[in-house]
Short mmCIF file of all heavy atoms in Angstrom, two decimals:
data_model
loop_
_atom_site.label_atom_id
_atom_site.label_comp_id
_atom_site.label_asym_id
_atom_site.label_seq_id
_atom_site.Cartn_x
_atom_site.Cartn_y
_atom_site.Cartn_z
N ARG A 1 105.22 160.76 96.18
CA ARG A 1 104.49 160.82 95.01
C ARG A 1 104.13 162.27 94.68
O ARG A 1 104.39 163.22 95.53
CB ARG A 1 103.19 160.06 95.18
CG ARG A 1 102.23 160.73 96.34
CD ARG A 1 101.01 160.01 96.48
NE ARG A 1 100.15 160.69 97.47
CZ ARG A 1 99.30 161.75 97.37
NH1 ARG A 1 99.10 162.29 96.14
NH2 ARG A 1 98.61 162.25 98.35
N GLU A 2 103.75 162.32 93.42
CA GLU A 2 103.29 163.87 92.97
C GLU A 2 101.98 164.04 93.71
O GLU A 2 101.01 163.18 93.66
CB GLU A 2 103.17 163.95 91.48
CG GLU A 2 102.79 165.27 91.06
CD GLU A 2 103.02 165.49 89.58
OE1 GLU A 2 104.16 165.82 89.13
OE2 GLU A 2 101.97 165.38 88.82
N GLN A 3 101.88 165.28 94.25
CA GLN A 3 100.62 165.55 94.96
C GLN A 3 100.33 167.12 94.90
O GLN A 3 101.24 167.83 94.48
CB GLN A 3 100.69 165.14 96.44
CG GLN A 3 101.93 165.52 97.22
CD GLN A 3 102.15 164.73 98.48
OE1 GLN A 3 101.07 164.67 99.19
NE2 GLN A 3 103.35 164.28 98.80
N THR A 4 99.20 167.48 95.43
CA THR A 4 98.75 168.92 95.47
C THR A 4 99.37 169.51 96.72
O THR A 4 99.01 169.04 97.91
CB THR A 4 97.23 168.96 95.39
OG1 THR A 4 96.65 168.38 94.36
CG2 THR A 4 96.81 170.44 95.53
N LEU A 5 100.17 170.52 96.53
CA LEU A 5 100.90 171.10 97.57
C LEU A 5 100.64 172.63 97.74
O LEU A 5 100.51 173.25 96.74
CB LEU A 5 102.37 170.92 97.41
CG LEU A 5 103.03 169.44 97.35
CD1 LEU A 5 104.41 169.50 96.85
CD2 LEU A 5 102.75 168.72 98.52
N PHE A 6 100.59 173.06 98.94
CA PHE A 6 100.56 174.44 99.21
C PHE A 6 101.91 175.00 99.61
O PHE A 6 102.69 174.47 100.17
CB PHE A 6 99.68 174.75 100.63
CG PHE A 6 99.70 175.97 101.25
CD1 PHE A 6 99.47 177.24 100.54
CD2 PHE A 6 100.24 176.17 102.57
CE1 PHE A 6 99.58 178.42 101.12
CE2 PHE A 6 100.39 177.28 103.25
CZ PHE A 6 100.07 178.54 102.51
N ARG A 7 102.15 176.32 98.95
CA ARG A 7 103.49 176.85 99.07
C ARG A 7 103.69 177.45 100.51
O ARG A 7 103.86 178.62 100.67
CB ARG A 7 103.69 177.90 98.06
CG ARG A 7 103.61 177.37 96.60
CD ARG A 7 103.99 178.50 95.50
NE ARG A 7 103.72 178.07 94.18
CZ ARG A 7 104.59 177.31 93.53
NH1 ARG A 7 105.74 176.95 93.89
NH2 ARG A 7 104.25 177.03 92.19
N ALA A 8 103.77 176.55 101.45
CA ALA A 8 103.90 177.10 102.80
C ALA A 8 105.22 177.72 103.12
O ALA A 8 105.43 178.69 103.90
CB ALA A 8 103.67 175.87 103.74
N THR A 9 106.25 177.35 102.32
CA THR A 9 107.61 177.88 102.45
C THR A 9 107.64 179.36 102.12
O THR A 9 108.56 180.08 102.58
CB THR A 9 108.61 177.15 101.69
OG1 THR A 9 108.26 177.00 100.26
CG2 THR A 9 108.93 175.71 102.29
N ALA A 10 106.73 179.73 101.25
CA ALA A 10 106.64 181.21 100.96
C ALA A 10 106.27 182.17 102.03
O ALA A 10 106.36 183.32 101.99
CB ALA A 10 105.77 181.40 99.64
N PHE A 11 105.65 181.43 103.18
CA PHE A 11 105.16 182.20 104.28
C PHE A 11 105.90 181.81 105.53
O PHE A 11 105.38 181.89 106.60
CB PHE A 11 103.64 182.01 104.35
CG PHE A 11 102.98 182.45 103.02
CD1 PHE A 11 102.68 181.53 102.06
CD2 PHE A 11 102.64 183.88 103.00
CE1 PHE A 11 102.03 182.14 100.94
CE2 PHE A 11 101.94 184.22 101.84
CZ PHE A 11 101.74 183.41 100.79
N GLY A 12 107.09 181.19 105.38
CA GLY A 12 107.88 180.91 106.62
C GLY A 12 107.96 179.52 107.13
O GLY A 12 108.56 179.19 108.15
N ASP A 13 107.18 178.51 106.40
CA ASP A 13 107.14 177.23 106.89
C ASP A 13 108.41 176.44 106.37
O ASP A 13 109.14 177.03 105.56
CB ASP A 13 105.89 176.54 106.37
CG ASP A 13 105.60 175.20 107.11
OD1 ASP A 13 106.35 174.87 108.12
OD2 ASP A 13 104.68 174.52 106.82
N ASP A 14 108.70 175.36 106.98
CA ASP A 14 109.88 174.63 106.62
C ASP A 14 109.81 173.98 105.30
O ASP A 14 110.78 173.80 104.48
CB ASP A 14 110.34 173.61 107.76
CG ASP A 14 110.62 174.28 108.98
OD1 ASP A 14 111.19 175.34 108.96
OD2 ASP A 14 110.28 173.82 110.10
N ILE A 15 108.59 173.35 105.06
CA ILE A 15 108.43 172.55 103.71
C ILE A 15 107.05 173.06 103.14
O ILE A 15 106.12 173.56 104.02
CB ILE A 15 108.51 171.01 103.88
CG1 ILE A 15 107.40 170.55 104.88
CG2 ILE A 15 109.79 170.56 104.35
CD1 ILE A 15 107.21 169.08 105.05
N ASP A 16 106.70 172.74 102.02
CA ASP A 16 105.35 172.93 101.46
C ASP A 16 104.48 171.78 101.92
O ASP A 16 105.09 170.64 102.26
CB ASP A 16 105.41 172.82 99.89
CG ASP A 16 106.00 174.22 99.35
OD1 ASP A 16 106.19 175.22 100.13
OD2 ASP A 16 106.52 174.14 98.17
N ARG A 17 103.24 171.94 101.92
CA ARG A 17 102.37 171.01 102.66
C ARG A 17 101.22 170.42 101.80
O ARG A 17 100.71 171.10 100.96
CB ARG A 17 101.66 171.71 103.81
CG ARG A 17 102.63 172.41 104.83
CD ARG A 17 103.30 171.25 105.64
NE ARG A 17 104.36 171.81 106.63
CZ ARG A 17 105.00 171.08 107.53
NH1 ARG A 17 104.86 169.85 107.42
NH2 ARG A 17 105.71 171.70 108.32
N PRO A 18 101.07 169.06 101.83
CA PRO A 18 100.03 168.44 101.06
C PRO A 18 98.53 168.94 101.48
O PRO A 18 98.29 169.14 102.63
CB PRO A 18 100.20 167.02 101.41
CG PRO A 18 101.58 166.85 101.99
CD PRO A 18 101.78 168.20 102.62
N LEU A 19 97.72 169.01 100.36
CA LEU A 19 96.43 169.36 100.58
C LEU A 19 95.29 168.22 100.31
O LEU A 19 94.18 168.23 100.72
CB LEU A 19 96.01 170.60 99.77
CG LEU A 19 96.80 171.93 99.93
CD1 LEU A 19 96.36 172.94 98.96
CD2 LEU A 19 96.51 172.32 101.45
N LEU A 20 95.89 167.22 99.60
CA LEU A 20 95.00 166.05 99.21
C LEU A 20 95.75 164.81 99.56
O LEU A 20 97.00 164.66 99.36
CB LEU A 20 94.67 166.08 97.77
CG LEU A 20 93.83 167.37 97.21
CD1 LEU A 20 93.59 167.16 95.74
CD2 LEU A 20 92.43 167.26 97.92
N LYS A 21 95.08 163.80 99.97
CA LYS A 21 95.62 162.54 100.32
C LYS A 21 95.61 161.64 99.03
O LYS A 21 95.11 162.08 97.90
CB LYS A 21 94.75 161.69 101.35
CG LYS A 21 94.69 162.45 102.69
CD LYS A 21 93.66 161.77 103.64
CE LYS A 21 93.51 162.44 104.99
NZ LYS A 21 92.61 161.79 105.87
N SER A 22 96.30 160.57 99.13
CA SER A 22 96.42 159.75 97.92
C SER A 22 95.00 159.18 97.37
O SER A 22 94.91 158.93 96.14
CB SER A 22 97.24 158.51 98.24
OG SER A 22 96.76 157.77 99.33
N ASP A 23 94.07 159.22 98.23
CA ASP A 23 92.62 158.70 97.81
C ASP A 23 91.92 159.92 97.36
O ASP A 23 90.75 159.76 97.05
CB ASP A 23 91.94 157.99 98.92
CG ASP A 23 91.72 158.87 100.08
OD1 ASP A 23 92.10 160.10 100.13
OD2 ASP A 23 91.26 158.34 101.19
N GLY A 24 92.51 161.10 97.26
CA GLY A 24 91.72 162.25 96.69
C GLY A 24 91.01 163.06 97.78
O GLY A 24 90.55 164.17 97.42
N SER A 25 90.94 162.47 98.98
CA SER A 25 90.23 163.31 100.10
C SER A 25 91.24 164.35 100.63
O SER A 25 92.39 164.36 100.43
CB SER A 25 89.88 162.32 101.23
OG SER A 25 90.99 161.71 101.73
N TYR A 26 90.58 165.33 101.32
CA TYR A 26 91.36 166.46 101.84
C TYR A 26 92.11 166.02 103.10
O TYR A 26 91.76 165.19 103.81
CB TYR A 26 90.46 167.56 102.26
CG TYR A 26 89.48 168.19 101.14
CD1 TYR A 26 88.19 168.15 101.36
CD2 TYR A 26 90.11 168.69 100.02
CE1 TYR A 26 87.33 168.65 100.34
CE2 TYR A 26 89.32 169.21 99.05
CZ TYR A 26 87.95 169.20 99.14
OH TYR A 26 87.14 169.65 98.11
N THR A 27 93.37 166.68 103.20
CA THR A 27 94.10 166.47 104.46
C THR A 27 93.51 167.31 105.47
O THR A 27 92.69 168.17 105.25
CB THR A 27 95.59 166.97 104.14
OG1 THR A 27 95.64 168.38 103.91
CG2 THR A 27 96.31 166.16 103.12
N TYR A 28 93.78 166.96 106.77
CA TYR A 28 93.38 167.79 107.79
C TYR A 28 93.81 169.29 107.71
O TYR A 28 93.19 170.19 108.06
CB TYR A 28 93.91 167.33 109.23
CG TYR A 28 93.33 166.09 109.68
CD1 TYR A 28 93.93 164.84 109.79
CD2 TYR A 28 91.86 166.07 110.07
CE1 TYR A 28 93.38 163.66 110.18
CE2 TYR A 28 91.29 164.93 110.51
CZ TYR A 28 91.98 163.67 110.53
OH TYR A 28 91.38 162.59 111.05
N PHE A 29 95.05 169.49 107.19
CA PHE A 29 95.65 170.75 106.91
C PHE A 29 94.74 171.62 106.07
O PHE A 29 94.47 172.81 106.22
CB PHE A 29 97.04 170.78 106.48
CG PHE A 29 97.70 172.01 106.38
CD1 PHE A 29 97.70 172.94 107.40
CD2 PHE A 29 98.36 172.30 105.13
CE1 PHE A 29 98.34 174.23 107.21
CE2 PHE A 29 98.91 173.51 104.91
CZ PHE A 29 98.88 174.46 105.98
N ALA A 30 94.33 170.93 104.91
CA ALA A 30 93.38 171.70 103.91
C ALA A 30 92.11 172.16 104.74
O ALA A 30 91.76 173.35 104.43
CB ALA A 30 93.11 170.75 102.85
N ALA A 31 91.59 171.42 105.51
CA ALA A 31 90.39 171.76 106.17
C ALA A 31 90.68 172.91 107.21
O ALA A 31 89.91 173.83 107.37
CB ALA A 31 89.70 170.63 106.91
N ASP A 32 91.92 172.82 107.81
CA ASP A 32 92.25 173.83 108.75
C ASP A 32 92.53 175.20 108.09
O ASP A 32 92.18 176.32 108.67
CB ASP A 32 93.57 173.44 109.49
CG ASP A 32 93.16 172.30 110.60
OD1 ASP A 32 92.07 172.22 110.91
OD2 ASP A 32 94.13 171.63 111.02
N ILE A 33 93.08 175.21 106.85
CA ILE A 33 93.29 176.32 106.11
C ILE A 33 91.81 176.94 105.85
O ILE A 33 91.60 178.27 106.07
CB ILE A 33 93.95 176.17 104.89
CG1 ILE A 33 95.41 175.63 105.11
CG2 ILE A 33 94.04 177.49 104.01
CD1 ILE A 33 96.10 175.23 103.74
N ALA A 34 90.90 176.19 105.40
CA ALA A 34 89.59 176.69 105.01
C ALA A 34 88.82 177.20 106.26
O ALA A 34 88.09 178.24 106.24
CB ALA A 34 88.78 175.61 104.47
N TYR A 35 89.08 176.54 107.36
CA TYR A 35 88.43 176.95 108.84
C TYR A 35 88.97 178.36 109.16
O TYR A 35 88.12 179.27 109.55
CB TYR A 35 88.70 175.94 109.71
CG TYR A 35 88.24 176.38 111.19
CD1 TYR A 35 86.97 176.78 111.39
CD2 TYR A 35 89.14 176.18 112.18
CE1 TYR A 35 86.46 177.19 112.68
CE2 TYR A 35 88.68 176.56 113.50
CZ TYR A 35 87.40 177.07 113.69
OH TYR A 35 86.94 177.52 114.90
N HIS A 36 90.14 178.56 109.07
CA HIS A 36 90.74 179.87 109.37
C HIS A 36 90.38 180.95 108.41
O HIS A 36 90.17 182.10 108.86
CB HIS A 36 92.22 179.87 109.66
CG HIS A 36 92.62 179.12 110.96
ND1 HIS A 36 92.58 177.68 111.09
CD2 HIS A 36 92.92 179.63 112.08
CE1 HIS A 36 92.83 177.44 112.29
NE2 HIS A 36 93.10 178.48 112.97
N ARG A 37 90.25 180.53 107.19
CA ARG A 37 89.76 181.52 106.18
C ARG A 37 88.33 181.89 106.41
O ARG A 37 87.96 183.10 106.33
CB ARG A 37 89.79 180.91 104.78
CG ARG A 37 89.20 181.73 103.59
CD ARG A 37 89.37 180.99 102.28
NE ARG A 37 88.67 181.64 101.21
CZ ARG A 37 87.49 181.21 100.72
NH1 ARG A 37 86.73 180.27 101.42
NH2 ARG A 37 86.81 181.86 99.72
N SER A 38 87.49 180.96 106.96
CA SER A 38 86.08 181.22 107.41
C SER A 38 86.13 182.18 108.49
O SER A 38 85.33 183.15 108.52
CB SER A 38 85.44 179.91 107.79
OG SER A 38 84.21 180.19 108.49
N LYS A 39 87.13 182.00 109.47
CA LYS A 39 87.01 183.07 110.57
C LYS A 39 87.36 184.42 110.00
O LYS A 39 86.71 185.40 110.43
CB LYS A 39 88.29 182.66 111.51
CG LYS A 39 87.95 181.37 112.36
CD LYS A 39 89.11 181.21 113.25
CE LYS A 39 89.09 179.94 114.04
NZ LYS A 39 90.20 179.64 115.03
N PHE A 40 88.33 184.59 109.07
CA PHE A 40 88.58 185.82 108.61
C PHE A 40 87.42 186.36 107.82
O PHE A 40 87.07 187.56 108.02
CB PHE A 40 89.87 185.69 107.67
CG PHE A 40 90.26 187.00 107.01
CD1 PHE A 40 90.73 188.08 107.86
CD2 PHE A 40 90.25 187.29 105.64
CE1 PHE A 40 91.17 189.26 107.31
CE2 PHE A 40 90.51 188.50 105.25
CZ PHE A 40 90.96 189.55 105.93
N LEU A 41 86.80 185.68 107.03
CA LEU A 41 85.56 186.10 106.30
C LEU A 41 84.42 186.55 107.20
O LEU A 41 83.55 187.26 106.79
CB LEU A 41 85.07 185.08 105.33
CG LEU A 41 86.18 184.63 104.06
CD1 LEU A 41 85.73 183.61 103.26
CD2 LEU A 41 86.44 185.96 103.31
N ARG A 42 84.42 185.94 108.41
CA ARG A 42 83.31 186.19 109.37
C ARG A 42 83.70 187.59 110.16
O ARG A 42 82.96 187.98 111.03
CB ARG A 42 83.06 185.05 110.33
CG ARG A 42 82.29 184.01 109.74
CD ARG A 42 81.97 182.83 110.85
NE ARG A 42 83.23 181.89 110.90
CZ ARG A 42 83.54 181.33 112.04
NH1 ARG A 42 83.02 181.85 113.27
NH2 ARG A 42 84.56 180.55 112.12
N GLY A 43 84.81 188.07 109.79
CA GLY A 43 85.13 189.50 110.36
C GLY A 43 86.12 189.44 111.53
O GLY A 43 86.13 190.36 112.43
#
């Protein structure tokens, strides 16, 4: 299906990765990206 994707291949991944499930909720990966962004913002 058409979905919201992160351009992971631009940074060395094999495929681009979904950020939203079919019901509109976040994928685990979307939360993990935000979590690691939080680490970076915390210094």
Side-chain angles (χ1 to χ4, degrees):
R1 64 178 179 87
E2 186 171 271
Q3 53 190 315
T4 302
L5 301 172
F6 163 60
R7 296 188 191 277
T9 51
F11 300 92
D13 198 3
D14 299 325
I15 60 171
D16 291 340
R17 300 292 178 177
L19 299 176
L20 297 177
K21 301 177 184 177
S22 56
D23 63 2
S25 63
Y26 300 123
T27 62
Y28 285 116
F29 181 53
D32 286 340
I33 299 176
Y35 173 48
H36 285 77
R37 174 176 175 265
S38 165
K39 291 183 185 180
F40 182 65
L41 293 177
R42 284 183 277 140

